Amino acid sequence: MTLKYELKRLDLQHPWTIARGTSNSKENVFLSLEKDGIVGFGEAAPNVRYKETAESTMAVFEQARPVIEASDLRNFHDLNQKLRLLFPKAASATTAIDMAVLDWFCKSLNLPLYRYFGLNKANTPVTTYSIGIDEPDKIQQKVKEAGAFPILKIKLGLGDDEKMMASIRAVTNKPLRVDANEGWATREEALEKIKWLQTCGVEFVEQPMPASQLDDMAWVRERSPLPLLADESVMSTSDIPTLARAFDGINIKLMKAGGILESLKMIWLAKSLGMQVMLGCMVESSLAISAAASLSPLVDYADLDGNLLISNDPFTGVQVEAGRLRLSEKPGVGAELL
Ligand code: MG
């Protein structure tokens, strides 16, 4: 078995601003596993919010190397459990490994990942296109560039939410979804914003308040006219039961969960608790987006646009047609290195 990894800088088409800060590019780490002439690819999108860097991710790959090399990749549940116990704080690194192993395994069976899970590609959802925080003229330009997408996701929570919304509503009547990225500090402020957003044609609001303020979130949810989805509050399966009283749904991201297998578990647990499920992403190439999209026939909402925000995507994979995800028939996670 050959395990290699490489850091690649993904350039953003526009500077990306959310409530936490601004970036012009993102450094993701790409992993490849070669065995029996088959290559499986994985991607890690390390996130400062979760204390991850490209360096810490590569260090995890080095530490995991002997464990992976000693494993039979066909027994991937064993390897997944081992790595999650060894590296509980390195979700994006374990995601890359999980992705590469499943890509390799499904390629060895000549099956697309979604078929391996028995999912119906006719049930993929529409994906939103995300508009970061910006000046009104830039916002309006981004809304125009998103012309093919029937639903937009708007980032708020950095101060002038009213100005952001007014500049968007000046150029589009599309349904909107809002992500505050923990930006509203008090429960009263959050509730007031949510009531106002309902009058602006917003379908739901993601992570209104900091993840640490769960009791405040429960208070807001009791009074909220819109569904509320957790993002920063939820990493993996064990977080979900305590969130059910404070949120109507969760935003699952492979890079938070620690992989495809964990994300699948999260989907079933959230559904069994009566919660809605969205599949989201970080800034990621078409490799990780295609892996996430493979699970999308199971979920209510998708926000899988990370690959569309970059100008130098090293992979090609899942496509978007009139806003809907169209899965590849290629074996594995459905992405090819360009
Ligand atoms: Mg979010």
Side-chain angles (χ1 to χ4, degrees), residues 153 155 179 181 206 231-232 251 253:
K153 174 163 149 178
K155 296 285 191 174
D179 188 356
N181 285 110
E206 198 178 316
D231 183 1
E232 285 84 346
N251 182 354
K253 296 176 181 169

Side-chain angles (χ1 to χ4, degrees), residues 14 20 49 75 81 94-95 107 188 190 207 222 235 283 318 323:
H14 297 285
R20 265 194 297 284
R49 170 68 175 76
N75 304 332
Q81 289 307 304
T94 54
T95 296
K107 282 173 173 167
E188 289 79 13
Q207 198 71 41
E222 268 179 40
M235 296 284 286
V283 173
V318 63

Side-chain angles (χ1 to χ4, degrees), residues 104-162:
W104 180 91
F105 179 72
C106 288
K107 282 173 173 167
S108 78
L109 299 178
N110 202 29
L111 264 187
L113 180 64
Y114 83 88
R115 284 209 185 280
Y116 170 70
F117 287 132
L119 304 180
N120 181 353
K121 72 185 289 187
N123 293 341
T124 56
V126 162
T127 181
T128 43
Y129 186 86
S130 298
I131 310 283
I133 296 170
D134 218 322
E135 291 306 315
D137 57 327
K138 292 269 173 47
I139 296 265
Q140 294 180 345
Q141 185 193 335
K142 289 179 190 175
V143 170
K144 280 173 197 153
E145 287 172 14
F149 293 82
I151 308 172
L152 303 178
K153 174 163 149 178
I154 310 299
K155 296 285 191 174
L156 296 182
L158 196 63
D160 209 340
D161 295 338
E162 289 73 13

Side-chain angles (χ1 to χ4, degrees), residues 41-293:
F41 293 105
E43 177 174 359
N47 194 311
V48 288
R49 170 68 175 76
Y50 307 110
K51 299 189 173 60
E52 297 171 330
T53 62
E55 289 67 35
S56 69
T57 300
M58 291 188 281
V60 169
F61 291 159
E62 261 333 301
Q63 291 166 52
R65 180 190 290 277
V67 184
I68 299 168
E69 287 176 347
S71 296
D72 182 339
L73 298 185
R74 293 169 302 180
N75 304 332
F76 52 79
H77 282 284
D78 291 351
L79 177 60
N80 183 267
Q81 289 307 304
K82 236 181 248 176
L83 293 175
R84 288 180 54 76
L85 284 173
L86 282 170
F87 308 107
K89 303 263 183 242
S92 71
T94 54
T95 296
I97 299 169
D98 186 55
M99 196 183 301
V101 170
L102 282 170
D103 191 41
W104 180 91
F105 179 72
C106 288
K107 282 173 173 167
S108 78
L109 299 178
N110 202 29
L111 264 187
L113 180 64
Y114 83 88
R115 284 209 185 280
Y116 170 70
F117 287 132
L119 304 180
N120 181 353
K121 72 185 289 187
N123 293 341
T124 56
V126 162
T127 181
T128 43
Y129 186 86
S130 298
I131 310 283
I133 296 170
D134 218 322
E135 291 306 315
D137 57 327
K138 292 269 173 47
I139 296 265
Q140 294 180 345
Q141 185 193 335
K142 289 179 190 175
V143 170
K144 280 173 197 153
E145 287 172 14
F149 293 82
I151 308 172
L152 303 178
K153 174 163 149 178
I154 310 299
K155 296 285 191 174
L156 296 182
L158 196 63
D160 209 340
D161 295 338
E162 289 73 13
K163 193 166 119 191
M164 270 283 293
M165 185 58 75
S167 42
I168 289 161
R169 277 295 175 232
V171 289
T172 184
N173 291 319
K174 287 176 183 176
L176 303 176
R177 296 168 184 172
V178 160
D179 188 356
N181 285 110
E182 313 180 282
W184 300 323
T186 67
R187 60 190 198 176
E188 289 79 13
E189 181 189 9
L191 183 60
E192 193 185 316
K193 295 275 189 184
I194 293 161
K195 285 181 171 169
W196 162 65
L197 289 171
Q198 191 204 17
T199 69
C200 303
V202 169
E203 294 182 334
F204 61 75
V205 179
E206 198 178 316
Q207 198 71 41
M209 305 187 68
S212 56
Q213 294 172 229
L214 193 62
D215 288 342
D216 288 334
M217 269 308 309
W219 183 92
V220 174
R221 187 206 179 189
E222 268 179 40
R223 293 157 179 83
S224 172
L226 292 177
L228 305 176
L229 270 66
D231 183 1
E232 285 84 346
S233 287
V234 61
M235 296 284 286
S236 58
T237 314
S238 57
D239 299 320
I240 299 174
T242 53
L243 296 178
R245 72 184 174 95
F247 290 96
D248 301 285
I250 58 169
N251 182 354
I252 297 173
K253 296 176 181 169
L254 300 186
M255 298 295 163
K256 291 189 299 178
I260 296 166
L261 295 174
E262 183 69 15
S263 297
L264 193 59
K265 269 198 264 176
M266 293 175 75
I267 292 172
W268 291 124
L269 178 58
K271 280 172 173 268
S272 72
L273 292 169
M275 299 177 87
Q276 297 181 316
V277 179
M278 165 158 63
L279 263 172
C281 61
M282 310 292 186
V283 173
E284 295 164 10
S285 80
S286 285
L287 173 58
I289 297 294
S290 298

